[in-house]
Amino acid sequence: PRLYKKAFGMVNTRYFFTFEDDQINPSHIIKRFLKVIQLGRVATVCGIAFDRHVKNSVPVAFDFFINQIGNRIVGDYVRNRSFSLSPVGSGGFGATIYDSDRIKDIELTYKIDEAPDILGSDVTFGYQVNKQGNLAMADWDVRSYHIDSLGAIC
């Protein structure tokens, strides 16, 4: 999370956009996300990329729920979503726009004490966004793709 901490600390605009250096994003992504992030309590809007580190790749979007065993907060990948725009627990940092006013008090950390089963700075970030009463949104009609080390799109 150090890279994102540093980057987020340098922001001096209301909205900012992040993407990964191995990502291909649609040309209209920022214009589309700006329309959504100005609605209500929206703190972040992400496009959908697929996790290249997971077999049978899944979207990098997470929801949180209370595990029935042990009553612990856990997260899992969103498997199916039928709406083009929907709230999620977290959407990762790739191809995401942020409202800096809504996220300024969020700590970027790999793990949080109250939800020890939720790991990853992008996932804990989304958890905190939701806990504040704000929304992390995913636009399921915006697909971002990664380029692997051989130049193939995945």
Side-chain angles (χ1 to χ4, degrees):
R2 282 187 297 188
L3 174 68
Y4 285 105
K5 251 185 213 182
K6 185 174 183 177
F8 284 19
M10 296 169 65
V11 170
N12 61 6
T13 61
R14 173 78 189 261
Y15 305 109
F16 65 100
F17 181 78
T18 60
F19 64 95
E20 297 171 355
D21 63 352
D22 66 342
Q23 238 176 339
I24 299 172
N25 297 302
S27 60
H28 68 288
I29 193 170
I30 294 175
K31 188 175 182 179
R32 184 173 173 112
F33 286 1
L34 275 171
K35 289 179 183 177
V36 177
I37 201 153
Q38 296 176 44
L39 303 173
R41 302 180 338 257
V42 178
T44 67
V45 182
C46 71
I48 299 301
F50 286 83
D51 194 334
R52 61 194 181 278
H53 305 295
V54 175
K55 187 177 180 178
N56 300 323
S57 191
V58 292
V60 179
F62 305 89
D63 278 334
F64 304 114
F65 57 93
I66 303 295
N67 185 336
Q68 298 303 314
I69 301 170
N71 203 30
R72 295 170 73 100
I73 301 168
V74 296
D76 195 11
Y77 289 100
V78 176
R79 304 288 176 182
N80 297 306
R81 197 55 66 130
S82 59
F83 303 105
S84 63
L85 185 67
S86 62
V88 291
S90 180
F93 290 143
T96 302
I97 195 168
Y98 306 83
D99 182 331
S100 58
D101 288 352
R102 295 191 182 278
I103 66 162
K104 64 184 173 204
D105 297 325
I106 292 178
E107 180 185 359
L108 285 171
T109 181
Y110 183 77
K111 182 176 166 182
I112 49 180
D113 293 336
E114 70 188 72
D117 296 322
I118 297 173
L119 300 175
S121 55
D122 53 349
V123 183
T124 60
F125 178 85
Y127 176 81
Q128 293 176 81
V129 163
N130 283 278
K131 186 175 177 191
Q132 285 182 339
N134 291 313
L135 295 171
M137 302 293 287
D139 188 333
W140 295 83
D141 292 334
V142 174
R143 299 294 170 125
S144 296
Y145 297 93
H146 287 278
I147 303 169
D148 70 15
S149 59
L150 300 174
I153 296 174
C154 51

